[in-house]
């Protein structure tokens, strides 16, 4: 080989290396630039600046505050003069007539101490609000002139909203609203009031020690009855709704696995030699899993009516296609030697499937089914909101009212705990069924850990 040929080869290799490095450099800078351009397009296509400008951050702050606190309403009917005190303004949380919390003094003139010098007085005709640093505001509801107000001199503050028939005052201590027919004050308190017992329960306001003492004296059943049948938080109904949600996920997931397993044999190349049948079964799998579970929920709800069973059927239909695809691919990857070994013992076709095929795909089958069971527990929450069952329905009802956001926070917390429980359960069951153990044994000190061994 001549020296000139060698130099040409080196030059050729150098050119190839330069092109390779140039291509990699373009990819290294081009892909990030493409992603940034796409993100910039999204910002303007979805009008993100306009969305941020239209966002009402005050409403968001109020909703967050409502999730961990509650409001106690003091309301006077301006037509009759009757005054009521209720938690969240609900009749189920109304204080008995003539009773009120210690910061409300009932009488001909009802005095409401909002602390910090903020005092509201419901007089026979006029409502007064003493506001530190501002003065005293007076509002008189009338039949003909609306709400006549007397304000301290100066410009109207932005925390006072005034019209002819209504005035609303919002301060850090609470809120006062006066209309022709009603005067109302509400005050925030941290916590979830009446979560354990309602006002009409003899156990309301008792300390844990007092409750334990009464339970020891034979009142445990009555205490549990008052808690379980709490008319405001409905613990019994919530527990039943969670059970419906889990049942929807369980029936839909395992029902889909039972249906998909025999159909997967028809879609596997090594178990079905008829190509038209394989094609038809695979297209059925594509169809049922190509339509989202929410769409199947709407379709099935029109056919069978609302209810938890409809939600379970929607999960079953969607997961049948997914499981069919997963199981058929697992069947196509089985080891033929194990099947031949079972066949050499004189086993028939059913026995070959039972002892030569099923043990091979069992780990894949169980792991996928348990994973989808965990995932469908979350999906059943949304599906239940459409079909009218489960915890999803209660969550949707609480969100629509936009009043008791502490109940929304309660339901979301229960959903998270339910998903965590299903995650732990599926992991435990997976370890129990697939690996044949419940927990990893603690290794002795000073001794090497043995290599893991799993039975086929």
């Amino acid at each position: 080989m001549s020296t000139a040929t060698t130099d040409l080869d080196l030059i050729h290799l150098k050119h190839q290396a330069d092109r390779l490095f140039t291509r990699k450099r373009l990819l290294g800078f081009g892909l990030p630039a493409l992603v940034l351009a796409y993100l910039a397009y999204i910002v303007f296509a979805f009008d993100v600046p306009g969305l941020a400008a239209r966002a009402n951050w005050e409403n968001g702050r109020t909703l967050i505050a409502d999730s961990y606190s509650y409001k106690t309403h003091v309301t006077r009917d301006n037509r009759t003069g009757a005054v009521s005190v209720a938690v969240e303004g609900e009749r189920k949380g109304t204080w008995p007539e003539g009773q009120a919390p210690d910061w409300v003094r009932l009488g001909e003139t009802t005095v409401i101490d909002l602390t910090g010098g903020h005092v509201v007085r419901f007089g026979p005709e006029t409502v007064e609000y003493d506001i530190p640093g501002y003065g005293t505001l007076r509002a008189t509801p009338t039949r003909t002139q609306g709400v006549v107000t007397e304000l301290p001199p100066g410009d109207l503050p932005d925390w006072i909203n005034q019209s002819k028939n209504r005035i609303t005052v919002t301060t850090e201590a609470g809120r006062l609203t006066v209309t022709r027919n009603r005067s109302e004050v509400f005050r925030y308190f941290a916590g979830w009031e009446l979560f354990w017992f309602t006002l009409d329960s003899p156990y309301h306001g008792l300390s844990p020690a007092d409750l334990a003492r009464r339970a020891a004296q034979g009142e445990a059943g009555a205490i549990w009855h008052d808690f379980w049948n709490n008319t405001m938080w409905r613990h019994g109904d919530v527990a039943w709704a969670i059970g419906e949600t889990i049942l929807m996920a369980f029936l839909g997931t395992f029902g889909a696995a039972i249906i998909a397993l025999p159909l997967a044999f028809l879609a596997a190349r090594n178990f079905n030699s008829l190509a038209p049948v394989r094609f038809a079964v695979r297209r059925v799998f594509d169809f049922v899993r190509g339509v989202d579970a929410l769409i199947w929920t709407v379709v099935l709800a029109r056919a069978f009516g609302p209810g938890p069973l409809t939600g379970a059927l929607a999960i079953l239909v969607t997961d049948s296609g997914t499981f069919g695809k997963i199981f058929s691919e697992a069947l196509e990857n089985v080891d033929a030697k194990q099947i031949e070994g079972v066949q050499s013992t004189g086993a028939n076709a059913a026995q070959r499937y039972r002892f030569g095929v099923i043990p091979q795909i069992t780990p894949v089958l169980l792991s996928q089914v348990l994973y989808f069971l965990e995932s469908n527990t979350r999906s059943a929450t949304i599906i239940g909101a459409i079909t009218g069952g489960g915890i999803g329905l209660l969550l949707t009802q609480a969100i629509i009212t936009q009043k008791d956001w502490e109940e929304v926070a309660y339901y979301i917390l229960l959903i998270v705990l339910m998903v965590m429980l299903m995650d732990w359960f599926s992991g435990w069951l997976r370890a129990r069924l697939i690996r044949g153990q419940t927990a990893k044994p603690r290794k002795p000190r000073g001794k090497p850990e043995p290599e893991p061994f799993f039975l086929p």
Side-chain angles (χ1 to χ4, degrees), residues 5 8 86 117 207 211 229 267 282 300 330 335 341 348 359 387 428:
T5 305
L8 289 175
S207 65
L211 290 174
N229 296 286
R282 286 180 178 272
L300 294 174
D335 186 3
N348 55 31
T387 61
W428 173 84

Side-chain angles (χ1 to χ4, degrees), residues 66-301:
D66 284 346
S67 66
Y68 61 83
S69 61
Y70 67 95
K71 302 184 294 292
T72 300
H73 297 248
V74 183
T75 307
R76 188 190 72 169
D77 189 332
N78 294 332
R79 296 166 297 184
T80 63
V83 177
S84 62
V85 184
V87 174
E88 292 294 348
E90 293 189 14
R91 293 184 177 181
K92 295 176 290 185
T94 303
W95 290 72
E97 186 177 357
Q99 298 183 23
D102 54 5
W103 50 277
V104 178
R105 188 171 70 249
L106 301 176
E108 184 178 358
T109 298
T110 299
V111 181
I112 306 164
D113 185 5
L114 298 179
T115 70
H118 292 262
V119 179
V120 178
R121 290 179 293 274
F122 287 164
E125 296 181 357
T126 302
V127 177
E128 298 181 348
Y129 187 180
D130 295 338
I131 306 172
Y134 180 70
T136 301
L137 179 150
R138 295 178 176 85
T140 304
T142 64
R143 292 285 185 179
T144 58
Q145 302 179 21
V147 179
V148 180
T149 59
E150 300 178 25
L151 302 175
D155 297 334
L156 186 69
D158 56 2
W159 40 269
I160 296 179
N161 188 351
Q162 181 185 13
S163 65
K164 178 182 178 181
N165 298 317
R166 181 188 184 94
I167 183 170
T168 301
V169 183
T170 304
T171 65
E172 67 276 6
R175 178 182 295 179
L176 167 66
T177 301
V178 181
T179 63
R180 288 185 177 185
N181 299 324
R182 187 175 67 175
S183 301
E184 183 178 36
V185 172
F186 69 73
R187 179 181 173 188
Y188 275 103
F189 291 89
W192 293 347
E193 179 65 356
L194 307 183
F195 181 81
W196 303 104
F197 304 102
T198 52
L199 292 169
D200 57 350
S201 172
Y203 307 107
H204 173 69
L206 296 183
S207 65
D210 293 335
L211 290 174
R213 185 175 61 255
R214 290 204 178 189
Q217 294 173 355
E219 299 184 33
I223 292 174
W224 174 256
H225 177 272
D226 280 15
F227 166 76
W228 193 248
N229 296 286
N230 187 316
T231 54
M232 286 195 67
W233 290 88
R234 302 185 299 169
H235 299 300
D237 295 339
V238 171
W240 181 265
I242 291 178
E244 284 186 344
T245 302
I246 296 176
L247 185 62
M248 278 193 289
F250 182 85
L251 290 178
T253 304
F254 284 93
I258 293 174
I259 293 175
L261 183 58
L263 294 178
F265 283 93
L266 297 177
R269 292 186 179 90
N270 50 343
F271 289 93
N272 183 11
S273 58
L274 300 176
V277 176
R278 292 201 311 269
F279 178 84
V281 175
R282 286 180 178 272
R283 298 295 77 78
V284 171
F285 290 160
D286 293 339
F287 172 72
V288 295
R289 70 187 175 89
V291 180
D292 191 81
L294 291 178
I295 299 177
W296 283 118
T297 302
V298 176
V299 173
L300 294 174

